[in-house]
Amino acid sequence: MPVRRGAPLRVLSILAQSPVGVAGSLIVTVVVVLAFIGPVISPHDPLNRNIRDRFKPPGFVDQSGNFYSLGNDQLGRDIFSRIIAGSRVSVLVGVVSVLIAGTLGVIYGLFSGFVGGIVDSVMMRIVDGLLAIPFIILVIAISGVVGAGLSTLILILGFTGWTTYARVIRGEVLKVRAMEYVIAAYALGQSRRKVMFLHILPNVVHSAIVLAAVQVGVTILAESSLSFLGLGVKPPTVTWGLMLSDGRQYINSAWWMTAFPGIAITITVLGVVFLGDWLRDFLDPNVRGRA
């Protein structure tokens, strides 16, 4: 029990020793907090239009004394409030899509690597065929056929991103199933299902966690790209990709319409990548043994 109570403090102490991990965790924490409490702290209504104050630059103060820190867009909407509102969509799409893809990929890779033989070969050829198609092109093609929308986009990203997990988990299962403790479990008379779920799965799931942390950033980029192209979330829902799409034709006269959403996407993706990089080192048995 003392070890379990001290585990969170130990994780925080190890995290504090990594500048990259600290930066990533802070960025991710800020984005997640904004996604949850955004409507409370948002200075203005992100959907409120005021044509009289359109294209106002950062630092603009209107006649009523309202301050617009990042300026307004072509319809007079506050850029800062819209960035806060867009964080909710990014977090929702990133997390839910990764959960769907990770669950499917882990189950697929676990079964393929555990069964082996001709079944494994056939299952991996399917994965190879899907991996041969660039992810973003596959998503764009499906989005163009199925249609746009937040729920549809989440499902598309979830059901097209599982192949990477399947490939990684299958490789881990092939390595773990030859370990002594797995052979000992068979010798003790445990069933194949128990060996797969009680002895193999817990020892490969850390790879899926690290991969999921990185894939959240990839998914956020995919959502922004699709929304930018008009194949993702549709107005009036606010997303960073739609903000970039709205501002691209005014980039010479109103640079802040594209600059600030682009910075938000860049910082968020970098934070997720930094956190995933730290998780990879933390969950590595060699690094964990030295910590």
Side-chain angles (χ1 to χ4, degrees):
M1 292 299 294
V3 175
R4 292 184 179 180
R5 284 199 296 266
L9 294 177
R10 179 174 175 270
V11 172
L12 291 177
S13 66
I14 297 174
L15 176 62
Q17 299 173 11
S18 172
V20 172
V22 171
S25 61
L26 288 177
I27 293 172
V28 171
T29 300
V30 170
V31 173
V32 171
V33 170
L34 287 177
F36 277 96
I37 67 172
V40 178
I41 65 174
S42 181
H44 305 283
D45 186 350
L47 301 178
N48 185 37
R49 303 181 180 185
N50 189 352
I51 303 299
R52 183 178 57 187
D53 293 333
R54 63 199 300 257
F55 297 123
K56 295 300 181 180
F60 167 70
V61 180
D62 64 12
Q63 296 179 352
S64 302
N66 297 317
F67 179 65
Y68 298 87
S69 58
L70 302 184
N72 293 348
D73 63 6
Q74 79 278 15
L75 297 177
R77 298 170 297 191
D78 180 40
I79 297 292
F80 181 56
S81 300
R82 290 177 66 78
I83 288 177
I84 293 176
S87 65
R88 173 169 294 186
V89 175
S90 295
V91 170
L92 179 63
V93 172
V95 173
V96 177
S97 298
V98 164
L99 285 176
I100 295 173
T103 302
L104 294 175
V106 168
I107 295 174
Y108 191 96
L110 177 65
F111 182 79
S112 176
F114 184 78
V115 174
I118 186 64
V119 174
D120 176 45
S121 298
V122 172
M123 293 179 71
M124 285 301 103
R125 296 299 77 76
I126 295 174
V127 172
D128 291 340
L130 293 174
L131 288 174
I133 306 174
F135 172 73
I136 191 65
I137 294 179
L138 179 62
V139 172
I140 289 175
I142 297 176
S143 299
V145 174
V146 177
L150 181 57
S151 301
T152 304
L153 181 61
I154 291 174
L155 292 177
I156 291 174
L157 293 174
F159 284 102
T160 56
W162 61 270
T163 51
T164 305
Y165 297 90
R167 170 66 68 184
V168 171
I169 295 301
R170 181 254 186 182
E172 291 291 320
V173 171
L174 291 177
K175 180 175 64 176
V176 171
R177 73 176 186 177
M179 295 291 184
E180 289 81 359
Y181 60 85
V182 175
I183 298 174
Y186 280 122
L188 292 173
Q190 294 193 8
S191 64
R192 290 171 60 87
R193 186 173 65 177
K194 285 187 177 181
V195 171
M196 182 168 61
F197 288 106
L198 298 181
H199 297 283
I200 295 180
L201 179 60
N203 289 284
V204 300
V205 73
H206 66 276
S207 297
I209 294 174
V210 174
L211 182 59
V214 176
Q215 288 297 109
V216 169
V218 175
T219 304
I220 291 174
L221 279 177
E223 179 276 319
S224 299
S225 301
L226 290 172
S227 297
F228 179 81
L229 296 172
L231 297 173
V233 182
K234 293 295 186 181
T237 304
V238 183
T239 72
W240 294 337
L242 281 176
M243 294 178 68
L244 288 175
S245 179
D246 291 339
R248 60 181 172 177
Q249 57 183 320
Y250 308 108
I251 193 169
N252 293 325
S253 58
W255 55 267
W256 54 88
M257 289 181 58
T258 54
F260 294 120
I263 291 172
I265 295 172
T266 303
I267 292 177
T268 301
V269 173
L270 283 177
V272 172
V273 171
F274 288 163
L275 183 59
D277 185 67
W278 175 80
L279 279 174
R280 182 190 60 199
D281 294 337
F282 175 73
L283 294 175
D284 184 87
N286 297 323
V287 177
R288 189 171 52 203
R290 295 194 300 266

